[in-house]
Amino acid sequence: MSDTPFGFGLPPEEPENGDEGKKKDQQGGGGQGPFGFGLPGAGGPGADNPLAAMFGSMNPNDLGAAFQQLGQMLSYEGGPVNWDMAKQIARQTVAQGTSDGTKDASVGPAERLAVEEAVRLADLWLDDATSLPSGAGSALAWSRAEWVEATLPVWKELVDPVAERVGAAMGDVLPEEMQAMAGPLIGMMRSMGGAMFGTQIGQAVGVLAGEVVGSSDIGLPLGPAGKAALLPLNIESFGKDLSVPQEEVRLYLALREAAHQRLFAHVPWLRSHLFGAVEGYARGIKVDTAKLEDVVGQFDPQNPEELQQALQQGMFQPEDTPEQKAALARLETALALVEGWVDAVVHSAAKPRLSSADALRETLRRRRATGGPAEQTFATLIGLQLRPRRLRDASRLWASLTDARGVDGRDGLWAHPDMLPTASDLDDPDGFVHREHLDFSELDKMLGEAASGTATEKPNLKKGDDSEDTDKGDGTE
């Protein structure tokens, strides 16, 4: 065990031979930062540890600030994820820029005006393609940092259920006779777990902020309700190699954002349906306790990156039960139906008006199908890929419904979750399209009338009721 504070290694001392020693140390890959965390770009131990994002820009000799930051990490007593740290890391990741060298920048007045005009025109075009009215009360142009700030509350809803399971498992893997004695260790490990999750989530959100073009790219309503939001900087990067005028790219993406807003604004049960499907799937995730036991049994404060590596490798496996398979099918189908409807509606609105509609549609389909590195990080962290695997099947089904029943008949299926197609319906779209469906609005009306009729008749069923006596005209009270 090291005799340095908390077992963490101190920064390397100044080399005896001055500048030559510094150069030699750099060439040898010795880029160790405070507490043994590797610095970004260094080849030393822990160089790939995301916690380097916390210390990488710091003067290695500034031990006071480093100890303070480490103390904050270990003293965290909140929920399963340290969201303050997640926000900090996400903002730092955004500030570093994307792999192509693009740095985040504030949105100027001209860009905001262009986004507002694009969303306004998109809403006009969508009026002919869907019976759902506009759902965007305002149009926003976000920087990447603004996207991080606006979407973190929703990521919290997505990640906390799984992270909670890990936090509980960290204490449960110790033998009972050790748990009483290991209270401080368990508390420290849970704090570390919250910090590790916060770091990983923060990095993933920060990377994703450099990829997304709006508030609804992953099929979930990540932004505030009623606010259509686009990221001008990312739209420019997205359309750079497409040989399509920037105005058309912006307008097509505005159509998608406005279509998502209509759907989530006017289908009140949809948001809770999607998030309920995510939570239902998360409840069936089990922690690989064997792997976690190995980590806990060998946990050494000198090597806090062990816990980080376990999270990076993934400790979550879906339970192989009918309930878990059904939860996954519900989630995948729900995501596919949302994205498929948006794809079909946007194509209907854009095809007659934009010469690049087909090319942009195919580009976005491939983009959603493959996903980016940030989505892979979330798959590792929560055991779930937020991608609609059956987007094309769902889009074809919605298009067929439009041909067979018209726009009103197609959109009417969103009136109730039980009216939507299922996973098996995506296998047989023709069978679903031509099947007779119960009109739930009429059913609700019938039930309401029946309840009202029962209420008016109910007094006549009571013995000694005043109104009944009055009808008899016997004059009794």
Side-chain angles (χ1 to χ4, degrees):
M1 176 70 76
S2 169
D3 56 359
T4 52
F6 303 103
F8 294 109
L10 292 174
E13 295 181 358
E14 190 75 15
E16 295 179 0
N17 52 348
D19 293 339
E20 291 184 6
K22 291 181 182 179
K23 293 178 181 178
K24 183 177 179 181
D25 182 62
Q26 291 171 356
Q27 292 171 355
Q32 192 178 37
F35 315 120
F37 292 120
L39 298 178
D48 294 330
N49 192 323
L51 286 176
M54 295 168 55
F55 302 103
S57 60
M58 187 190 308
N59 182 345
N61 294 319
D62 191 1
L63 292 179
F67 270 116
Q68 182 180 11
Q69 202 158 15
L70 182 66
Q72 291 173 352
M73 180 177 71
L74 294 179
S75 63
Y76 173 72
E77 296 180 351
V81 178
N82 189 331
W83 287 103
D84 290 337
M85 182 170 290
K87 179 179 176 180
Q88 176 187 354
I89 297 298
R91 293 295 297 262
Q92 290 176 354
T93 303
V94 165
Q96 291 170 3
T98 52
S99 57
D100 62 359
T102 305
K103 297 285 188 179
D104 192 24
S106 299
V107 179
E111 292 172 315
R112 294 189 187 279
L113 181 60
V115 167
E116 291 172 0
E117 291 179 347
V119 172
R120 189 181 303 113
L121 182 57
D123 255 339
L124 289 175
W125 289 4
L126 287 172
D127 285 339
D128 297 330
T130 174
S131 62
L132 299 180
S134 174
S138 60
L140 304 175
W142 282 343
S143 66
R144 292 167 179 171
E146 288 173 324
W147 182 89
V148 168
E149 295 279 353
T151 62
L152 270 180
V154 179
W155 292 120
K156 188 176 187 298
E157 290 186 57
L158 290 172
V159 176
D160 270 353
V162 175
E164 184 69 48
R165 296 175 67 84
V166 179
M170 283 183 173
D172 295 341
V173 296
L174 287 176
E176 290 186 10
E177 61 273 13
M178 291 183 60
Q179 289 189 18
M181 297 183 295
L185 175 62
I186 293 174
M188 184 180 74
M189 289 187 62
R190 286 182 174 170
S191 296
M192 288 287 289
M196 298 299 185
F197 257 112
T199 302
Q200 287 281 71
I201 293 297
Q203 283 197 322
V205 169
V207 173
L208 199 57
E211 301 173 357
V212 296
V213 294
S215 72
S216 53
D217 275 26
I218 66 168
L220 295 173
L222 297 180
K227 298 183 184 296
L230 296 175
L231 283 72
L233 181 60
N234 291 357
I235 291 175
E236 182 179 353
S237 299
F238 172 81
K240 186 167 54 177
D241 300 323
L242 295 181
S243 300
V244 175
Q246 187 73 15
E247 294 76 12
E248 291 195 19
V249 174
R250 184 191 303 113
L251 185 50
Y252 192 88
L253 296 176
L255 281 166
R256 290 183 53 82
E257 177 71 13
H260 276 104
Q261 293 295 330
R262 289 185 181 225
L263 192 58
F264 285 110
H266 299 291
V267 182
W269 53 264
L270 182 56
R271 187 185 190 278
S272 60
H273 179 75
L274 284 169
F275 280 78
V278 173
E279 186 175 354
Y281 180 81
R283 281 197 301 268
I285 294 289
K286 62 181 181 181
V287 179
D288 187 345
T289 53
K291 182 182 292 186
L292 190 57
E293 284 175 1
D294 290 340
V295 174
V296 173
Q298 302 173 14
F299 182 74
D300 184 354
Q302 279 189 291
N303 298 298
E305 64 270 13
E306 287 179 357
L307 201 57
Q308 174 70 48
Q309 291 170 357
L311 288 175
Q312 285 179 319
Q313 294 168 2
M315 292 187 294
F316 320 117
Q317 302 170 353
E319 292 183 350
D320 189 19
T321 63
E323 293 79 11
Q324 179 67 353
K325 291 177 180 178
L328 179 59
R330 283 196 301 271
L331 178 57
E332 289 183 338
T333 301
L335 286 172
L337 289 175
V338 169
E339 290 296 277
W341 183 88
V342 169
D343 179 78
V345 167
V346 168
H347 184 69
S348 175
K351 177 68 172 175
R353 300 177 173 96
L354 295 178
S355 59
S356 58
D358 289 332
L360 289 169
R361 182 190 203 188
E362 187 60 28
T363 299
L364 283 162
R365 279 181 166 185
R366 291 179 180 178
R367 187 173 185 257
R368 283 293 278 130
T370 56
E375 289 189 11
Q376 294 302 322
T377 300
F378 283 113
T380 300
L381 280 172
I382 65 176
L384 175 64
Q385 290 184 338
L386 295 172
R387 296 208 308 267
R389 295 192 307 115
R390 308 195 64 180
L391 167 60
R392 293 177 187 270
D393 294 337
S395 182
R396 281 194 292 268
L397 188 146
W398 288 118
S400 297
L401 282 168
T402 307
D403 294 338
R405 304 185 187 182
V407 169
D408 291 343
R410 177 201 65 199
D411 294 346
L413 293 180
W414 291 106
H416 195 282
D418 290 343
M419 297 176 67
L420 290 179
T422 63
S424 59
D425 292 325
L426 296 180
D427 296 328
D428 180 24
D430 289 338
F432 179 84
V433 168
H434 299 292
R435 188 186 311 155
E436 290 295 330
H437 292 275
L438 180 63
D439 188 338
F440 277 79
S441 62
E442 289 298 321
L443 178 61
D444 290 341
K445 182 179 178 182
M446 291 166 53
L447 291 174
E449 291 176 350
S452 176
T454 302
T456 57
E457 295 174 1
K458 198 169 185 179
N460 293 330
L461 299 178
K462 292 182 179 180
K463 293 182 179 180
D465 184 86
D466 290 343
S467 61
E468 185 178 357
D469 293 337
T470 302
D471 290 338
K472 290 179 181 179
D474 59 2
T476 61
E477 295 184 359

